[in-house]
Amino acid sequence: MRYLTARKRAEGKGASHTGTEHHWSMQVSAVGLALIVPTFLYIFGKALGSDYATVTETFSHPIPAIVTALVLIFGLKHFNRGFEMMAQDYLRGSQLKAAIMFMTAFTYGLAATGLFALAKLAL
């Protein structure tokens, strides 16, 4: 019989050994997004409703283009990891694997499409 304290049983990051790292990754990306999204909303809101020339002029500058790219990449990565957590709560087996693979492919495709559109605007 093993005599372990409650703390010793709790150490080790849980059953999957990745829970703490996943949680901290989500917390860090949430704080980063909380800092950068207001800047993006200001840039996007300023360009919203403008003609094509004004939008191209806005996103041809490096700061708006970089901020938009960061929001696209890290926002969709955060979304994908959040979906993965939600799917792990509600799905099991092959449904879980299929849902995670579909959503990962979907978010990567969305990020690639957004970055391509941004590159066409910026260049």
Side-chain angles (χ1 to χ4, degrees):
M1 183 172 211
R2 294 174 47 183
Y3 294 100
L4 298 174
T5 64
R7 179 175 180 213
K8 188 65 175 177
R9 282 191 298 261
E11 288 177 356
K13 303 182 209 167
S16 68
H17 301 287
T18 59
T20 303
E21 291 162 3
H22 192 267
H23 173 74
W24 272 107
S25 169
M26 291 295 288
Q27 294 297 316
V28 168
S29 68
V31 169
L33 286 170
L35 296 174
I36 201 166
V37 165
T39 306
F40 168 73
L41 288 176
Y42 175 76
I43 293 167
F44 182 75
K46 194 173 162 185
L48 188 65
S50 301
D51 59 343
Y52 183 75
T54 307
V55 172
T56 305
E57 170 65 25
T58 300
F59 287 103
S60 65
H61 294 96
I63 298 298
I66 290 170
V67 168
T68 303
L70 288 174
V71 168
L72 272 171
I73 292 168
F74 292 110
L76 286 170
K77 181 180 177 185
H78 184 81
F79 172 78
N80 189 23
R81 300 216 54 194
F83 175 82
E84 184 180 327
M85 288 175 57
M86 190 243 352
Q88 288 170 350
D89 288 342
Y90 294 107
L91 300 174
R92 297 283 180 248
S94 61
Q95 285 182 335
L96 173 64
K97 291 177 186 176
I100 289 174
M101 286 189 295
F102 171 76
M103 191 54 68
T104 301
F106 179 71
T107 54
Y108 283 172
L110 213 57
T113 303
L115 291 174
F116 177 74
L118 181 63
K120 285 205 55 124
L121 276 175
L123 300 176

